Each structure stands twice: as C-alpha cells, then as structure tokens.
Amino acid sequence: MFFSKQITQWYTTHKRDLPWRNTKEAYPIWLSEIMLQQTRVDQGLPYFLKFLEHFPKVENLAEATEEKVLKLWQGLGYYSRARNLHATAKYITENLNGEFPNTKDSLLQLKGVGDYTSSAIASFAFNEATPVVDGNVNRVLSRYFGIDLPVNESAGQNLIKEKAIEVLDKKNPALHNQAIMEFGALQCKPKNPYCHICPLQSKCVAYQQGMVERLPVKIKKTKVQTRFLNYFVLIDPNQNTIVQQRKGKGIWENLFEFPVAEFSKKPKLIEVEKEMRSIFPIEISSTEKANLKPVIHLLSHRKLIADFYILKIQSLQKNTFQKNQKLLNLSELETVPVPVLMANFIKEYLL
DNA sequence: AAGTCGGGGGG
DNA sequence: CCCCCAGACTT
C-alpha cells in the first residue's frame, strides 16, 4: 500500500493534463494507447487530436480508406499500428456492433493489442484490476525493487509482472496505472531522475544501494545495417510523376514511394543506371541527380541512405504501369502517404 | 529468443 | 553517437 499511496499522491499534484485521461470511453482510450506504443506523449498527442477530429467515433474510422488512415498516420512511424488500427475499427464496427470488448482477455484478441495495451484499456475504461507493464513501469519497479535481471528477457519480465501485481491498488487500478506510468515518465526518468525529491526514496532499493543509473538492465542487440535507396523521380512535360505502393512485409508496408532500386552495399552509378533501365525501358531525355549529398536517415537499428534521381521524359503512358503504381501530378504528392524520408525530399525539391 | 518495425528527443 | 519512448508481431 505504501507504494501505491505515494505514487498516486504524487500523481494528483504532478500529472499532465492529457485528453485521453478525461474520458472513460474505450474508443479514445484505445486510440491513444495504440498511438503511444513506443512513442512519446509529446509526439503522439497531435496525432491523437487529429484522428479524433477526422474520426469522432470508431464507425468513422472503420468507414475510411486505409490510404487515408496511413496518410493521417504519416510521420508517427510503426505503420503496422495504423493498419491494425483500421482493421480493428472495422472488426468492432461490423462484428461487435461498435462495442469494444470490456475485459483484458477479450481485448487481447484485437489486432495490435498486446499484453500492455489490453491491460491499459481494461483498467482505464473498465476498472479491471490488471497491471500495466510498459517501459516506464519496467524502470520504476526494477529500481524500486532493485531488480538487475534484464527486463527484456522472460525471467526479468516475469519478475517485474509479479511485482506489478503486488503493488497494484486493486481498488483503484485506473488511477494506480496512470500514476505509475506518469511517475516513470516525469520523475523516475531514464537519465537524471529526481531521486532527491522522490517520495519512494526510503524504500527504493536502487536508491539505497546507489544503483539507480544502472537500472533497468537491458540486453543489447543492435547491429546496424545500411540500406541504399535510389529513387527515380520521373517527370513528364505536364508535371506528372509515378509513385508505387510498397507491398510485402518490409518497412513502410502500403506506403507510397517513387520507383526505387535498393542495395545493401553502396552501388556504383553504373549499377543504379542498369536497374533504372530495367524498371523503365523508356526514352529519357535528361537525368539529373537531384541532391548533391544523399539523404541520410537513421532509424533504431538501420541506417538509410537515399539518393533521388530526377528523370525528365517525353511522356508517361498509362499502359506501362504496374498494378500498384499511380500517376500523380507533382502537386498531388502531398495526398498519398509516404515515408518521412520522402516527404522531406518532396517538400524541398518538388513543391 | 531474436528480429523487425519509424521517427524524434535528449544526454 | 547512443539510448529511449504508454510494444506487438513474426520467425
């Protein structure tokens, strides 16, 4: 009881005013939880407001096209969340009469809803006494109990979940869960936590033993791979161009991009040109490399280096298109969902 | 159990 | 430059 008492008291005076906390409706709570997966509150908030504006009810989201959902999601990353969000909205609208499941176990069946998110929705919307365990909770509990097992392995994660149940205020799970996460985000931060004014100080094992900065322990995994993307921007005299939708299961699934040749090693210009001509067996009147230095994009475990080639051609013929390709005027490029990497290029060079 | 999936912020 | 963020899903 000490733990929950302290953090909820801390919460009532330090909490941020966030829109999804002012409701018990499952729809906006679900929406916020999906958006905030691996995403900072500050980054997700504008998207949350934008989505509620376009889709006030889950039915409105269900009726939208996936392309529109992806467009609104553009820039938030992890686009499978947007596809699963849309699929789940349709499922709830068409099969569940627009009513969200109201238990953790039933919520867990929804696409894109895992262990954390099902607990979050069940506790926030339906007051189910189930603990949330996210990055914040891993940090707070590993420090408070002095757990030095890696939190991203099953043994450590299981122990954290045990402790999360142990400290959970079963009478006020919604308040407790909000409090412990907010506490992790604002007080028990990854770097430079405010231990000197912490209400848990007296019982925090990590603080007592001076291991706060060492916890939580995580096993590292990253081996950075580089991908070389060579985009071909065809432009005809009417300012039309071709984009194509990424299919398959890789990065940016279902987003649009210019026709591309990908390499795992830095290609020679000859190789790029060869790929270009196999993709477009057409007359090219002039080629210019659009940007002198390539666009370098760093992701968590990957480095993307993108070169853009602008190809001026006499005419784009519809019958040469593949199924997933679209003919667009340059001014229409802003209407289709594209990776941020491309959006930046488009804004700088084509509009 | 290990990989993959984005993009941005902070030290 | 590296780590982290209201994780889930696939292999």
Side-chain angles (χ1 to χ4, degrees):
Chain A
M1 206 74 264
F2 169 82
F3 182 91
S4 187
K5 192 92 172 176
Q6 293 301 317
I7 59 165
T8 53
Q9 184 175 330
W10 174 91
Y11 178 71
T12 57
T13 62
H14 294 90
K15 67 176 176 181
R16 292 167 289 185
D17 184 17
L18 301 174
W20 48 84
R21 288 181 178 153
N22 302 327
T23 179
K24 283 285 188 182
E25 256 184 277
Y27 170 60
I29 291 173
W30 163 73
L31 178 63
S32 71
E33 292 304 337
I34 300 298
M35 283 184 166
L36 294 177
Q37 287 166 4
Q38 291 292 288
T39 304
R40 292 170 202 282
V41 165
D42 292 339
Q43 190 188 359
L45 180 54
Y47 287 84
F48 174 80
L49 299 175
K50 183 166 61 174
F51 266 69
L52 270 193
E53 226 170 88
H54 282 83
F55 314 121
K57 299 293 176 189
V58 66
E59 289 79 9
N60 306 125
L61 179 54
E63 291 161 1
T65 64
E66 183 182 284
E67 187 175 326
K68 179 174 184 189
V69 175
L70 285 172
K71 183 61 193 177
L72 289 170
W73 197 273
Q74 182 179 311
L76 200 51
Y78 287 141
Y79 296 92
S80 67
R81 294 183 296 170
R83 299 190 302 270
N84 287 335
L85 184 85
H86 187 223
T88 295
K90 284 200 207 173
Y91 174 74
I92 289 176
T93 299
E94 294 165 12
N95 298 16
L96 302 183
N97 217 350
E99 299 283 326
F100 274 79
N102 60 0
T103 64
K104 173 183 166 75
D105 286 342
S106 54
L107 286 161
L108 205 40
Q109 305 305 313
L110 302 176
K111 279 188 185 176
V113 176
D115 186 48
Y116 161 77
T117 304
S118 58
S119 281
I121 301 172
S123 62
F124 298 154
F126 306 111
N127 288 312
E128 184 172 330
T130 178
V132 290
V133 179
D134 70 336
N136 293 308
V137 175
N138 278 325
R139 186 168 53 255
V140 172
L141 294 183
S142 67
R143 286 173 176 170
Y144 185 74
F145 291 104
I147 296 169
D148 59 359
L149 296 174
V151 297
N152 55 348
E153 292 188 335
S154 53
Q157 192 57 205
N158 290 337
L159 183 53
I160 296 277
K161 284 179 185 172
E162 274 182 39
K163 297 300 185 185
I165 294 173
E166 194 177 308
V167 298
L168 174 63
D169 180 357
K170 281 80 176 175
K171 296 276 176 53
N172 302 290
L175 175 63
H176 174 97
N177 281 341
Q178 288 287 4
I180 189 171
M181 287 194 289
E182 190 78 333
F183 186 79
L186 301 182
Q187 166 81 16
C188 194
K189 299 182 297 175
K191 304 291 164 111
N192 307 320
Y194 303 134
C195 294
H196 51 291
I197 53 169
C198 181
L200 299 178
Q201 211 183 75
S202 65
K203 294 197 176 180
C204 178
V205 173
Y207 179 75
Q208 297 297 333
Q209 300 185 0
M211 4 183 320
V212 171
E213 296 286 356
R214 300 281 309 154
L215 298 178
V217 173
K218 285 187 185 175
I219 299 301
K220 49 174 172 286
K221 52 288 184 186
T222 53
K223 42 183 179 212
V224 180
Q225 287 188 46
T226 305
R227 271 204 216 181
F228 296 84
L229 304 165
N230 298 270
Y231 286 114
F232 307 123
V233 187
L234 277 65
I235 301 179
D236 77 0
N238 296 324
Q239 298 290 92
N240 292 322
T241 189
I242 292 180
V243 293
Q244 59 191 23
Q245 193 172 27
R246 285 186 78 99
K247 291 301 184 183
K249 34 183 19 192
I251 193 171
W252 301 319
E253 183 183 342
N254 290 6
L255 269 65
F256 288 83
E257 64 184 4
F258 298 120
V260 61
E262 292 195 37
F263 299 86
S264 55
K265 298 188 305 185
K266 182 175 173 59
K268 299 188 189 302
L269 189 56
I270 296 282
E271 302 177 275
V272 177
E273 228 168 89
K274 185 179 167 190
E275 279 302 310
M276 178 177 75
R277 295 191 184 283
S278 79
I279 298 175
F280 298 109
I282 51 181
E283 285 298 313
I284 296 168
S285 61
S286 83
T287 299
E288 56 181 280
K289 198 167 173 186
N291 50 330
L292 296 176
K293 40 187 181 185
V295 176
I296 299 182
H297 208 65
L298 292 167
L299 305 180
S300 22
H301 302 321
R302 176 161 298 139
K303 185 171 169 186
L304 303 173
I305 299 182
D307 284 297
F308 291 85
Y309 298 85
I310 293 184
L311 315 174
K312 304 209 168 149
I313 62 173
Q314 296 309 320
S315 71
L316 289 171
Q317 296 185 0
K318 206 126 192 156
N319 54 9
T320 64
F321 290 14
Q322 298 166 16
K323 288 192 230 12
N324 57 333
Q325 292 184 330
K326 265 192 186 187
L327 178 67
L328 287 180
N329 191 272
L330 289 184
S331 63
E332 297 175 303
L333 279 173
E334 288 177 302
T335 65
V336 296
V338 298
V340 166
L341 175 67
M342 284 215 6
N344 291 340
F345 170 80
I346 291 168
K347 185 185 288 186
E348 187 165 352
Y349 288 90
L350 301 181
L351 298 182

